[in-house]
């Protein structure tokens, strides 16, 4: 059994490791969780003593096999709860993350598997993140962003990197969700902003940051 804080650290380290191929530093963990660096260093020491992570200044922070197993289970519970909250309780996709943050810490041996079966074994959560299976295997995450496309390319919104309420609410205003069709009409060289057409409607201009947070297929 781990504390709520320990579980949050394991999940954060796992997510940072999935996002890009770079060294996970205490500073990156602090920014991810909104914690001060001193508390992060203290938690790194605790998790190292429990053999859940390994830390080397050159290599950064890495999950041990046991730490990875536990982190994947926490992520699995979180993403299954997000599906349940959206599909079964009618919450909006900008509301479910914070609630799932609390529910993910319910540590029952069979709850996640029963929830998975009840939901029909979904592969991705409402934000497009892959849901780890009971055996620990993870469906392939989406990696191509809207900014990676060429002018004239058509795509489908597959996932969002930024799951903050402000970004998801902005997407709702634009009538963009998972599955929405987008055409990249033009890339503006001056500031790398993007001109896009959403579901065949009139073009609108969005920022480079917007495009970097939209994953497509």
């Amino acid at each position: 059994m781990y504390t709520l804080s320990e579980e949050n650290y394991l999940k954060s380290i796992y997510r940072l490791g999935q996002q890009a191929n770079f060294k996970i530093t205490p500073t990156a963990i602090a920014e991810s969780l909104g914690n001060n660096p001193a508390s992060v260093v203290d938690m790194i020491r605790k998790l190292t003593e429990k053999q859940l992570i390994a830390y080397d200044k050159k290599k950064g922070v890495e999950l041990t096999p046991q730490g990875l197993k536990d982190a994947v289970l926490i992520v699995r519970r979180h993403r299954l709860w997000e599906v349940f909250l959206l599909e079964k309780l009618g919450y909006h996709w900008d509301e479910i993350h914070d609630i799932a943050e609390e529910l993910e810490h319910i540590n029952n041996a069979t709850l996640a598997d029963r929830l998975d079966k009840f939901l029909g074994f979904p592969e991705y959560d409402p934000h497009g993140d892959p849901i780890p299976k009971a055996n620990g295997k993870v469906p392939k995450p989406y990696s191509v962003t809207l900014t990676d496309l060429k002018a004239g390319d058509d795509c489908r919104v597959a996932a969002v990197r930024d799951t903050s309420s402000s970004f998801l609410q902005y997407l709702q205003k634009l009538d963009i969700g998972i599955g929405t069709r987008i055409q990249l009409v033009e890339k503006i060289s001056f500031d790398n902003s993007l001109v896009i057409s959403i579901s065949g409607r009139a073009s609108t201009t969005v920022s480079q940051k917007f495009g970097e947070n939209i994953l497509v297929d």
Side-chain angles (χ1 to χ4, degrees):
M1 294 291 291
Y2 307 124
T3 66
L4 184 149
S5 181
E6 288 170 340
E7 290 192 348
N8 284 337
Y9 271 83
L10 289 175
K11 185 178 66 173
S12 176
I13 294 167
Y14 173 82
R15 287 178 64 91
L16 287 170
Q18 294 295 302
Q19 288 172 5
N21 186 24
F22 61 84
K23 181 174 70 174
I24 302 173
T25 64
T27 300
I29 298 171
E31 291 175 352
S32 172
L33 293 170
N35 292 349
N36 67 70
S39 65
V40 173
V41 171
D42 184 54
M43 181 58 75
I44 286 175
R45 178 184 58 79
K46 291 179 180 178
L47 295 177
T48 300
E49 289 175 353
K50 292 188 175 185
Q51 299 184 334
L52 297 173
I53 65 170
Y55 175 56
D56 179 272
K57 287 187 177 180
K58 291 184 178 180
K59 295 182 179 180
V61 178
E62 296 178 339
L63 293 167
T64 63
Q66 184 60 52
L68 177 60
K69 179 180 178 181
D70 293 336
V72 167
L73 178 58
I74 297 164
V75 170
R76 170 174 163 78
R77 294 196 300 254
H78 179 96
R79 294 176 180 173
L80 285 171
W81 279 121
E82 286 193 332
V83 176
F84 176 80
L85 291 165
L86 184 105
E87 293 188 357
K88 304 303 180 181
L89 297 187
Y91 283 92
H92 296 295
W93 74 336
D94 60 308
E95 300 175 307
I96 57 178
H97 177 75
D98 289 343
I99 303 173
E101 284 282 308
E102 299 180 36
L103 294 171
E104 71 186 28
H105 299 293
I106 301 174
N107 193 2
N108 179 279
T110 62
L111 180 59
D113 292 344
R114 291 190 178 193
L115 188 59
D116 195 13
K117 182 178 179 180
F118 175 71
L119 295 170
F121 303 103
E123 289 199 323
Y124 297 90
D125 74 11
H127 304 121
D129 289 319
I131 300 174
K133 300 298 182 184
N135 60 8
K137 292 185 178 180
V138 183
K140 184 178 180 180
Y142 297 104
S143 60
V144 178
T145 70
L146 189 58
T147 55
D148 294 327
L149 303 184
K150 303 185 300 293
D153 285 349
D154 289 292
C155 63
R156 181 189 75 93
V157 176
V160 291
R161 278 183 173 162
D162 185 346
T163 59
S164 65
S165 295
S166 58
F167 184 63
L168 296 177
Q169 289 167 6
Y170 178 43
L171 291 178
Q172 285 180 311
K173 287 183 179 179
L174 294 176
D175 200 22
I176 293 176
I178 302 300
T180 300
R181 302 297 307 186
I182 291 179
Q183 181 185 46
L184 179 55
V185 179
E186 183 183 0
K187 286 186 172 181
I188 308 298
S189 59
F190 172 69
D191 60 358
N192 295 318
S193 57
L194 309 172
V195 180
I196 62 173
S197 173
I198 304 164
S199 301
R201 299 193 300 271
S203 299
T204 187
T205 302
V206 295
S207 68
Q208 179 184 13
K209 182 179 179 181
F210 177 97
E212 291 171 345
N213 280 290
I214 297 292
L215 296 165
V216 301
D217 64 4

